[in-house]
Short mmCIF file of all heavy atoms in Angstrom, two decimals:
data_model
loop_
_atom_site.label_atom_id
_atom_site.label_comp_id
_atom_site.label_asym_id
_atom_site.label_seq_id
_atom_site.Cartn_x
_atom_site.Cartn_y
_atom_site.Cartn_z
N MET A 1 74.71 128.00 77.10
CA MET A 1 76.12 128.26 77.34
C MET A 1 76.37 129.62 76.79
O MET A 1 75.99 129.99 75.67
CB MET A 1 77.00 127.21 76.65
CG MET A 1 78.49 127.40 76.88
SD MET A 1 79.42 125.91 76.51
CE MET A 1 79.87 126.25 74.89
N SER A 2 77.07 130.50 77.57
CA SER A 2 77.30 131.81 77.12
C SER A 2 78.59 131.82 76.26
O SER A 2 79.53 130.95 76.39
CB SER A 2 77.56 132.80 78.33
OG SER A 2 78.65 132.41 79.02
N THR A 3 78.66 132.84 75.36
CA THR A 3 79.85 132.96 74.53
C THR A 3 80.62 134.15 74.95
O THR A 3 80.19 135.06 75.59
CB THR A 3 79.42 133.19 73.03
OG1 THR A 3 78.60 134.38 72.96
CG2 THR A 3 78.63 132.05 72.54
N LEU A 4 81.99 134.02 74.81
CA LEU A 4 82.92 135.18 75.22
C LEU A 4 82.95 136.09 74.10
O LEU A 4 82.90 135.85 72.87
CB LEU A 4 84.28 134.53 75.44
CG LEU A 4 84.37 133.50 76.59
CD1 LEU A 4 85.79 132.99 76.67
CD2 LEU A 4 83.89 134.06 77.86
N LYS A 5 83.08 137.46 74.44
CA LYS A 5 83.17 138.49 73.52
C LYS A 5 84.51 139.25 73.79
O LYS A 5 84.75 139.65 74.90
CB LYS A 5 82.04 139.40 73.61
CG LYS A 5 82.09 140.62 72.73
CD LYS A 5 80.98 141.63 72.93
CE LYS A 5 81.26 142.83 72.10
NZ LYS A 5 80.54 144.06 72.57
N GLU A 6 85.24 139.50 72.72
CA GLU A 6 86.44 140.23 72.86
C GLU A 6 86.09 141.70 72.91
O GLU A 6 85.33 142.11 72.07
CB GLU A 6 87.47 139.96 71.72
CG GLU A 6 88.75 140.69 71.90
CD GLU A 6 89.77 140.29 70.81
OE1 GLU A 6 89.68 139.20 70.24
OE2 GLU A 6 90.65 141.11 70.54
N LEU A 7 86.53 142.44 73.95
CA LEU A 7 86.21 143.86 74.08
C LEU A 7 87.22 144.72 73.43
O LEU A 7 88.43 144.50 73.39
CB LEU A 7 86.08 144.25 75.61
CG LEU A 7 85.00 143.53 76.28
CD1 LEU A 7 85.04 143.83 77.84
CD2 LEU A 7 83.63 143.70 75.78
N THR A 8 86.71 145.87 72.92
CA THR A 8 87.64 146.82 72.26
C THR A 8 88.16 147.73 73.40
O THR A 8 87.74 147.79 74.55
CB THR A 8 86.92 147.74 71.22
OG1 THR A 8 85.94 148.49 71.95
CG2 THR A 8 86.30 146.88 70.16
N TYR A 9 89.21 148.51 73.06
CA TYR A 9 89.76 149.47 73.96
C TYR A 9 88.70 150.49 74.55
O TYR A 9 88.57 150.72 75.70
CB TYR A 9 90.90 150.25 73.38
CG TYR A 9 91.41 151.38 74.24
CD1 TYR A 9 92.15 151.23 75.39
CD2 TYR A 9 91.11 152.67 73.94
CE1 TYR A 9 92.51 152.21 76.09
CE2 TYR A 9 91.48 153.80 74.69
CZ TYR A 9 92.29 153.52 75.70
OH TYR A 9 92.66 154.58 76.54
N GLU A 10 87.92 150.95 73.66
CA GLU A 10 86.84 151.94 73.99
C GLU A 10 85.87 151.29 74.92
O GLU A 10 85.34 152.03 75.78
CB GLU A 10 86.11 152.41 72.76
CG GLU A 10 86.93 153.37 71.88
CD GLU A 10 88.01 152.63 70.99
OE1 GLU A 10 87.83 151.38 70.84
OE2 GLU A 10 88.93 153.25 70.54
N GLU A 11 85.49 150.02 74.84
CA GLU A 11 84.53 149.39 75.75
C GLU A 11 85.28 149.23 77.17
O GLU A 11 84.50 149.15 78.07
CB GLU A 11 84.13 148.00 75.18
CG GLU A 11 83.29 148.15 73.91
CD GLU A 11 83.00 146.80 73.30
OE1 GLU A 11 84.00 146.01 73.02
OE2 GLU A 11 81.88 146.53 73.09
N LEU A 12 86.47 149.14 77.20
CA LEU A 12 87.19 148.95 78.58
C LEU A 12 87.41 150.28 79.27
O LEU A 12 87.65 150.36 80.41
CB LEU A 12 88.41 148.14 78.27
CG LEU A 12 88.30 146.74 77.91
CD1 LEU A 12 89.68 146.15 77.70
CD2 LEU A 12 87.60 145.93 78.98
N LYS A 13 87.65 151.33 78.45
CA LYS A 13 88.00 152.62 78.90
C LYS A 13 86.88 153.28 79.76
O LYS A 13 85.78 153.33 79.35
CB LYS A 13 88.33 153.59 77.71
CG LYS A 13 88.94 154.80 78.03
CD LYS A 13 89.39 155.52 76.86
CE LYS A 13 89.84 156.95 77.22
NZ LYS A 13 90.13 157.77 75.96
N ASN A 14 87.31 153.92 80.92
CA ASN A 14 86.23 154.55 81.76
C ASN A 14 86.95 155.69 82.54
O ASN A 14 87.56 155.62 83.55
CB ASN A 14 85.78 153.56 82.84
CG ASN A 14 84.72 154.19 83.75
OD1 ASN A 14 84.41 155.31 83.51
ND2 ASN A 14 84.20 153.41 84.65
N ASP A 15 87.03 156.90 81.77
CA ASP A 15 87.61 158.10 82.30
C ASP A 15 86.86 158.70 83.39
O ASP A 15 87.47 159.44 84.20
CB ASP A 15 87.80 159.08 81.19
CG ASP A 15 88.89 158.60 80.20
OD1 ASP A 15 89.73 157.89 80.57
OD2 ASP A 15 88.75 159.01 79.00
N ASP A 16 85.53 158.47 83.55
CA ASP A 16 84.79 159.07 84.54
C ASP A 16 84.98 158.68 85.97
O ASP A 16 84.74 159.29 86.98
CB ASP A 16 83.28 158.83 84.29
CG ASP A 16 82.83 159.58 82.97
OD1 ASP A 16 83.49 160.58 82.58
OD2 ASP A 16 81.84 159.07 82.25
N SER A 17 85.64 157.45 86.11
CA SER A 17 85.91 156.97 87.43
C SER A 17 86.81 157.87 88.33
O SER A 17 86.69 157.87 89.51
CB SER A 17 86.49 155.54 87.45
OG SER A 17 87.65 155.60 86.73
N LEU A 18 87.66 158.57 87.69
CA LEU A 18 88.59 159.43 88.46
C LEU A 18 87.97 160.71 88.86
O LEU A 18 88.43 161.42 89.71
CB LEU A 18 89.94 159.73 87.59
CG LEU A 18 90.76 158.47 87.36
CD1 LEU A 18 91.94 158.92 86.45
CD2 LEU A 18 91.18 157.81 88.57
N ASN A 19 86.92 161.10 88.35
CA ASN A 19 86.22 162.34 88.57
C ASN A 19 85.60 162.35 89.96
O ASN A 19 85.34 163.41 90.51
CB ASN A 19 85.18 162.67 87.55
CG ASN A 19 85.77 162.93 86.16
OD1 ASN A 19 86.90 163.36 86.08
ND2 ASN A 19 84.97 162.76 85.12
N VAL A 20 85.39 161.28 90.51
CA VAL A 20 84.71 161.15 91.89
C VAL A 20 85.80 161.34 93.01
O VAL A 20 85.40 161.57 94.16
CB VAL A 20 84.03 159.81 92.09
CG1 VAL A 20 82.89 159.61 91.12
CG2 VAL A 20 84.98 158.65 92.08
N LEU A 21 87.04 161.37 92.72
CA LEU A 21 88.15 161.58 93.76
C LEU A 21 88.24 163.09 94.03
O LEU A 21 88.17 163.88 93.14
CB LEU A 21 89.43 160.93 93.20
CG LEU A 21 89.42 159.59 92.80
CD1 LEU A 21 90.79 159.05 92.29
CD2 LEU A 21 89.03 158.62 93.98
N ASN A 22 88.34 163.33 95.37
CA ASN A 22 88.35 164.73 95.75
C ASN A 22 89.74 165.28 95.99
O ASN A 22 90.02 165.95 97.02
CB ASN A 22 87.48 164.84 97.05
CG ASN A 22 86.05 164.66 96.66
OD1 ASN A 22 85.59 164.97 95.59
ND2 ASN A 22 85.34 164.08 97.57
N PHE A 23 90.73 164.82 95.18
CA PHE A 23 92.14 165.27 95.36
C PHE A 23 92.76 165.34 94.11
O PHE A 23 92.46 164.58 93.15
CB PHE A 23 92.87 164.42 96.49
CG PHE A 23 92.93 162.93 96.03
CD1 PHE A 23 93.91 162.46 95.32
CD2 PHE A 23 91.85 162.11 96.54
CE1 PHE A 23 93.96 161.13 95.01
CE2 PHE A 23 91.92 160.75 96.14
CZ PHE A 23 93.00 160.20 95.37
N GLU A 24 93.90 166.20 94.03
CA GLU A 24 94.71 166.22 92.78
C GLU A 24 95.74 165.13 92.75
O GLU A 24 95.96 164.37 91.80
CB GLU A 24 95.39 167.58 92.75
CG GLU A 24 94.50 168.75 92.56
CD GLU A 24 94.10 169.01 91.11
OE1 GLU A 24 94.91 168.74 90.36
OE2 GLU A 24 92.94 169.45 90.97
N THR A 25 96.50 164.99 93.91
CA THR A 25 97.50 163.91 93.94
C THR A 25 97.41 163.26 95.35
O THR A 25 96.62 163.78 96.29
CB THR A 25 98.93 164.57 93.93
OG1 THR A 25 99.14 165.32 95.14
CG2 THR A 25 99.16 165.46 92.65
N THR A 26 98.07 162.20 95.57
CA THR A 26 97.98 161.45 96.83
C THR A 26 98.65 162.28 97.91
O THR A 26 98.38 162.02 99.09
CB THR A 26 98.67 160.10 96.70
OG1 THR A 26 99.94 160.26 96.12
CG2 THR A 26 97.86 159.10 95.77
N ASN A 27 99.43 163.30 97.68
CA ASN A 27 99.98 164.17 98.73
C ASN A 27 98.91 164.96 99.32
O ASN A 27 99.02 165.43 100.44
CB ASN A 27 101.00 165.10 98.08
CG ASN A 27 102.24 164.41 97.71
OD1 ASN A 27 102.63 163.37 98.26
ND2 ASN A 27 102.90 164.92 96.61
N ASP A 28 97.74 165.17 98.65
CA ASP A 28 96.58 165.90 99.25
C ASP A 28 95.78 165.03 100.18
O ASP A 28 94.83 165.60 100.93
CB ASP A 28 95.69 166.37 98.19
CG ASP A 28 96.34 167.26 97.21
OD1 ASP A 28 97.38 167.90 97.53
OD2 ASP A 28 95.84 167.39 96.03
N ILE A 29 96.05 163.72 100.36
CA ILE A 29 95.21 162.85 101.22
C ILE A 29 95.80 162.74 102.64
O ILE A 29 97.06 162.68 102.73
CB ILE A 29 95.19 161.41 100.59
CG1 ILE A 29 94.60 161.46 99.13
CG2 ILE A 29 94.40 160.46 101.52
CD1 ILE A 29 94.74 160.12 98.49
N GLU A 30 94.95 162.90 103.57
CA GLU A 30 95.44 162.83 104.94
C GLU A 30 95.77 161.36 105.25
O GLU A 30 95.09 160.45 104.88
CB GLU A 30 94.34 163.33 105.88
CG GLU A 30 94.69 163.79 107.25
CD GLU A 30 93.53 164.45 107.94
OE1 GLU A 30 93.01 165.36 107.47
OE2 GLU A 30 93.29 163.89 109.05
N ALA A 31 96.88 161.29 106.05
CA ALA A 31 97.26 159.79 106.46
C ALA A 31 96.19 159.19 107.32
O ALA A 31 95.59 159.79 108.13
CB ALA A 31 98.61 159.97 107.23
N PHE A 32 96.02 157.87 107.13
CA PHE A 32 95.07 157.08 107.82
C PHE A 32 95.80 156.49 109.02
O PHE A 32 96.68 155.69 108.81
CB PHE A 32 94.39 156.02 106.91
CG PHE A 32 93.32 155.32 107.59
CD1 PHE A 32 92.05 155.95 107.70
CD2 PHE A 32 93.43 153.98 108.00
CE1 PHE A 32 91.03 155.34 108.26
CE2 PHE A 32 92.34 153.41 108.56
CZ PHE A 32 91.13 153.96 108.71
N ASP A 33 95.37 156.88 110.19
CA ASP A 33 96.17 156.52 111.44
C ASP A 33 95.30 155.54 112.29
O ASP A 33 95.23 155.85 113.52
CB ASP A 33 96.59 157.70 112.16
CG ASP A 33 97.77 157.47 113.01
OD1 ASP A 33 98.53 156.57 112.71
OD2 ASP A 33 98.07 158.28 113.80
N HIS A 34 94.68 154.59 111.84
CA HIS A 34 93.83 153.72 112.65
C HIS A 34 94.20 152.28 112.57
O HIS A 34 95.32 151.89 112.09
CB HIS A 34 92.30 153.92 112.16
CG HIS A 34 91.77 155.27 112.29
ND1 HIS A 34 91.43 155.78 113.48
CD2 HIS A 34 91.62 156.25 111.34
CE1 HIS A 34 91.05 157.13 113.36
NE2 HIS A 34 91.19 157.31 112.01
N GLU A 35 93.36 151.39 113.08
CA GLU A 35 93.57 150.03 113.18
C GLU A 35 93.61 149.47 111.63
O GLU A 35 93.36 150.12 110.74
CB GLU A 35 92.44 149.27 113.92
CG GLU A 35 92.28 149.67 115.33
CD GLU A 35 93.18 148.87 116.28
OE1 GLU A 35 93.32 147.65 115.93
OE2 GLU A 35 93.69 149.45 117.14
N PHE A 36 93.95 148.21 111.61
CA PHE A 36 94.03 147.52 110.30
C PHE A 36 92.64 147.33 109.84
O PHE A 36 91.74 146.80 110.52
CB PHE A 36 94.77 146.13 110.42
CG PHE A 36 96.04 146.17 110.88
CD1 PHE A 36 96.50 145.88 112.13
CD2 PHE A 36 97.12 146.56 109.94
CE1 PHE A 36 97.78 145.89 112.54
CE2 PHE A 36 98.39 146.62 110.34
CZ PHE A 36 98.83 146.23 111.71
N ILE A 37 92.38 147.70 108.66
CA ILE A 37 91.06 147.63 107.96
C ILE A 37 91.04 146.52 106.96
O ILE A 37 91.90 146.56 106.07
CB ILE A 37 90.51 148.95 107.46
CG1 ILE A 37 90.26 149.94 108.54
CG2 ILE A 37 89.20 148.71 106.64
CD1 ILE A 37 89.74 151.28 108.12
N GLY A 38 90.19 145.53 107.05
CA GLY A 38 90.17 144.52 106.08
C GLY A 38 91.30 143.58 106.19
O GLY A 38 91.57 142.90 105.24
N GLN A 39 92.02 143.54 107.26
CA GLN A 39 93.16 142.71 107.36
C GLN A 39 93.07 141.75 108.53
O GLN A 39 94.05 141.25 109.13
CB GLN A 39 94.40 143.52 107.60
CG GLN A 39 94.74 144.51 106.52
CD GLN A 39 95.20 143.78 105.16
OE1 GLN A 39 95.70 142.70 105.26
NE2 GLN A 39 94.77 144.25 104.02
N GLU A 40 91.80 141.35 108.90
CA GLU A 40 91.58 140.42 110.00
C GLU A 40 92.27 139.13 109.83
O GLU A 40 92.97 138.64 110.82
CB GLU A 40 90.11 140.22 110.27
CG GLU A 40 89.31 141.42 110.67
CD GLU A 40 88.89 142.28 109.52
OE1 GLU A 40 89.00 141.87 108.31
OE2 GLU A 40 88.33 143.34 109.67
N ARG A 41 92.36 138.59 108.64
CA ARG A 41 92.97 137.26 108.41
C ARG A 41 94.44 137.46 108.56
O ARG A 41 95.16 136.60 109.20
CB ARG A 41 92.64 136.85 106.99
CG ARG A 41 93.17 135.43 106.65
CD ARG A 41 92.73 134.97 105.42
NE ARG A 41 93.33 133.77 105.01
CZ ARG A 41 93.53 133.22 103.85
NH1 ARG A 41 92.94 133.89 102.79
NH2 ARG A 41 94.02 132.13 103.64
N ALA A 42 95.08 138.59 108.09
CA ALA A 42 96.54 138.77 108.22
C ALA A 42 96.88 139.03 109.68
O ALA A 42 97.91 138.45 110.10
CB ALA A 42 96.99 139.98 107.46
N VAL A 43 96.08 139.69 110.44
CA VAL A 43 96.42 139.88 111.91
C VAL A 43 96.29 138.53 112.59
O VAL A 43 97.22 138.20 113.45
CB VAL A 43 95.42 140.89 112.49
CG1 VAL A 43 95.58 140.93 114.03
CG2 VAL A 43 95.64 142.29 111.93
N LYS A 44 95.33 137.69 112.33
CA LYS A 44 95.19 136.45 112.99
C LYS A 44 96.47 135.58 112.58
O LYS A 44 96.88 134.80 113.37
CB LYS A 44 93.91 135.69 112.53
CG LYS A 44 92.66 136.32 113.19
CD LYS A 44 91.45 135.45 112.71
CE LYS A 44 90.16 136.06 113.29
NZ LYS A 44 89.01 135.39 112.92
N ALA A 45 96.87 135.61 111.26
CA ALA A 45 98.00 134.79 110.87
C ALA A 45 99.24 135.26 111.58
O ALA A 45 100.04 134.39 112.04
CB ALA A 45 98.24 134.89 109.29
N PHE A 46 99.40 136.58 111.80
CA PHE A 46 100.61 137.11 112.45
C PHE A 46 100.50 136.70 113.94
O PHE A 46 101.61 136.23 114.49
CB PHE A 46 100.61 138.65 112.29
CG PHE A 46 101.88 139.19 112.88
CD1 PHE A 46 103.07 139.02 112.38
CD2 PHE A 46 101.73 140.03 114.11
CE1 PHE A 46 104.17 139.56 112.88
CE2 PHE A 46 102.83 140.53 114.67
CZ PHE A 46 104.10 140.33 114.08
N ASP A 47 99.44 136.77 114.68
CA ASP A 47 99.30 136.32 115.97
C ASP A 47 99.65 134.89 116.15
O ASP A 47 100.34 134.43 117.04
CB ASP A 47 97.93 136.66 116.52
CG ASP A 47 97.60 138.16 116.67
OD1 ASP A 47 98.63 138.84 116.89
OD2 ASP A 47 96.42 138.47 116.87
N PHE A 48 99.11 134.07 115.21
CA PHE A 48 99.42 132.65 115.22
C PHE A 48 100.85 132.41 115.08
O PHE A 48 101.58 131.68 115.83
CB PHE A 48 98.68 131.93 114.14
CG PHE A 48 99.11 130.48 113.96
CD1 PHE A 48 98.57 129.46 114.83
CD2 PHE A 48 99.97 130.15 112.98
CE1 PHE A 48 98.97 128.19 114.73
CE2 PHE A 48 100.38 128.79 112.86
CZ PHE A 48 99.81 127.78 113.74
N GLY A 49 101.58 133.08 114.15
CA GLY A 49 102.98 133.02 113.93
C GLY A 49 103.81 133.34 115.11
O GLY A 49 104.81 132.66 115.46
N LEU A 50 103.31 134.38 115.90
CA LEU A 50 104.09 134.71 117.06
C LEU A 50 103.99 133.66 118.15
O LEU A 50 104.85 133.60 119.09
CB LEU A 50 103.50 136.11 117.58
CG LEU A 50 103.85 137.35 116.87
CD1 LEU A 50 103.17 138.49 117.34
CD2 LEU A 50 105.35 137.58 116.69
N GLN A 51 102.95 132.89 118.14
CA GLN A 51 102.81 131.81 119.15
C GLN A 51 103.59 130.52 118.84
O GLN A 51 103.72 129.66 119.71
CB GLN A 51 101.38 131.48 119.31
CG GLN A 51 100.56 132.60 119.93
CD GLN A 51 99.03 132.31 119.89
OE1 GLN A 51 98.66 131.16 120.12
NE2 GLN A 51 98.24 133.36 119.88
N VAL A 52 104.18 130.32 117.70
CA VAL A 52 104.91 129.15 117.30
C VAL A 52 106.21 129.18 118.06
O VAL A 52 107.06 130.18 117.77
CB VAL A 52 105.11 129.10 115.72
CG1 VAL A 52 106.00 127.92 115.39
CG2 VAL A 52 103.77 128.89 115.04
N LYS A 53 106.52 128.22 118.79
CA LYS A 53 107.72 128.23 119.62
C LYS A 53 108.69 127.26 119.10
O LYS A 53 109.79 126.99 119.75
CB LYS A 53 107.38 127.78 121.07
CG LYS A 53 106.33 128.74 121.68
CD LYS A 53 106.90 130.09 121.93
CE LYS A 53 105.81 131.00 122.66
NZ LYS A 53 106.13 132.40 122.59
N MET A 54 108.52 126.70 117.87
CA MET A 54 109.55 125.70 117.33
C MET A 54 110.56 126.48 116.46
O MET A 54 110.24 127.50 115.88
CB MET A 54 108.76 124.73 116.47
CG MET A 54 107.85 123.88 117.35
SD MET A 54 106.62 122.93 116.44
CE MET A 54 107.69 122.00 115.22
N LYS A 55 111.78 125.92 116.40
CA LYS A 55 112.85 126.57 115.61
C LYS A 55 112.58 126.27 114.11
O LYS A 55 111.88 125.29 113.70
CB LYS A 55 114.17 125.96 115.94
CG LYS A 55 114.68 126.39 117.27
CD LYS A 55 116.09 125.80 117.54
CE LYS A 55 116.56 126.31 118.92
NZ LYS A 55 117.95 125.86 119.14
N GLY A 56 113.06 127.19 113.29
CA GLY A 56 112.89 126.94 111.91
C GLY A 56 111.65 127.64 111.16
O GLY A 56 111.45 127.60 109.99
N TYR A 57 110.91 128.33 112.06
CA TYR A 57 109.71 129.06 111.45
C TYR A 57 110.03 130.59 111.49
O TYR A 57 110.53 131.08 112.41
CB TYR A 57 108.48 128.74 112.24
CG TYR A 57 107.95 127.27 112.00
CD1 TYR A 57 108.37 126.32 112.74
CD2 TYR A 57 107.08 127.11 111.00
CE1 TYR A 57 108.00 124.99 112.50
CE2 TYR A 57 106.63 125.76 110.71
CZ TYR A 57 107.06 124.74 111.51
OH TYR A 57 106.59 123.50 111.22
N ASN A 58 109.60 131.26 110.40
CA ASN A 58 109.85 132.72 110.31
C ASN A 58 108.54 133.37 109.90
O ASN A 58 107.56 132.73 109.38
CB ASN A 58 110.88 133.03 109.19
CG ASN A 58 112.12 132.40 109.43
OD1 ASN A 58 112.82 132.67 110.47
ND2 ASN A 58 112.61 131.35 108.65
N ILE A 59 108.44 134.69 110.17
CA ILE A 59 107.24 135.44 109.80
C ILE A 59 107.80 136.50 108.79
O ILE A 59 108.83 137.17 109.04
CB ILE A 59 106.72 136.22 111.01
CG1 ILE A 59 106.14 135.18 111.95
CG2 ILE A 59 105.63 137.17 110.50
CD1 ILE A 59 105.54 135.80 113.18
N TYR A 60 107.16 136.59 107.62
CA TYR A 60 107.47 137.45 106.58
C TYR A 60 106.39 138.49 106.39
O TYR A 60 105.22 138.04 106.26
CB TYR A 60 107.86 136.80 105.28
CG TYR A 60 108.04 137.82 104.12
CD1 TYR A 60 109.24 138.45 104.03
CD2 TYR A 60 107.11 138.06 103.23
CE1 TYR A 60 109.54 139.29 102.96
CE2 TYR A 60 107.31 138.93 102.16
CZ TYR A 60 108.51 139.56 102.06
OH TYR A 60 108.80 140.40 101.05
N MET A 61 106.57 139.76 106.48
CA MET A 61 105.56 140.79 106.38
C MET A 61 105.95 141.76 105.25
O MET A 61 107.19 142.10 105.31
CB MET A 61 105.24 141.47 107.65
CG MET A 61 104.69 140.50 108.67
SD MET A 61 104.24 141.42 110.11
CE MET A 61 102.75 142.16 109.70
N LEU A 62 105.12 142.24 104.43
CA LEU A 62 105.42 143.24 103.48
C LEU A 62 104.28 144.37 103.49
O LEU A 62 103.17 144.05 103.62
CB LEU A 62 105.39 142.59 102.12
CG LEU A 62 105.68 143.46 100.96
CD1 LEU A 62 107.09 143.98 101.00
CD2 LEU A 62 105.46 142.67 99.71
N GLY A 63 104.76 145.58 103.49
CA GLY A 63 103.81 146.66 103.50
C GLY A 63 104.51 147.94 103.61
O GLY A 63 105.76 147.99 103.84
N PRO A 64 103.86 149.08 103.65
CA PRO A 64 104.42 150.46 103.87
C PRO A 64 104.97 150.49 105.25
O PRO A 64 104.47 150.00 106.21
CB PRO A 64 103.30 151.33 103.57
CG PRO A 64 102.08 150.63 103.76
CD PRO A 64 102.40 149.18 103.48
N SER A 65 106.08 151.28 105.41
CA SER A 65 106.74 151.38 106.67
C SER A 65 105.83 152.32 107.52
O SER A 65 105.19 153.18 107.02
CB SER A 65 108.12 151.99 106.62
OG SER A 65 108.10 153.19 105.89
N GLY A 66 105.95 152.16 108.79
CA GLY A 66 105.14 153.01 109.70
C GLY A 66 103.93 152.39 110.03
O GLY A 66 103.18 152.91 110.83
#
């Protein structure tokens, strides 16, 4: 059986991970204008919801506009 170890702040801190990003702010990133990536399940659920013809059912979606 493994034992749990409480980590210190220094053990959790990883400043190097941001160095691999090739931009200063998110304003420098080009907008992604393609299909849904990694959202196959959400797209299937939405398609299913559109096919429900009974009263009392709603579809709620949340995400960035556009």
Side-chain angles (χ1 to χ4, degrees):
M1 183 162 96
S2 65
T3 59
L4 299 177
K5 176 188 174 200
E6 185 174 334
L7 299 176
T8 66
Y9 169 76
E10 288 79 20
E11 291 174 306
L12 294 173
K13 188 176 174 184
N14 184 1
D15 289 333
D16 294 334
S17 62
L18 296 178
N19 294 336
V20 299
L21 303 177
N22 296 323
F23 58 89
E24 294 275 330
T25 71
T26 54
N27 289 329
D28 300 334
I29 302 173
E30 202 173 303
F32 189 74
D33 204 21
H34 297 286
E35 298 276 326
F36 297 104
I37 293 181
Q39 299 294 327
E40 293 85 11
R41 185 175 175 202
V43 171
K44 287 180 182 180
F46 184 70
D47 287 340
F48 173 79
L50 289 175
Q51 294 177 27
V52 174
K53 302 296 181 194
M54 297 168 53
K55 289 185 179 182
Y57 288 88
N58 299 296
I59 296 175
Y60 175 78
M61 297 184 74
L62 177 68
S65 62

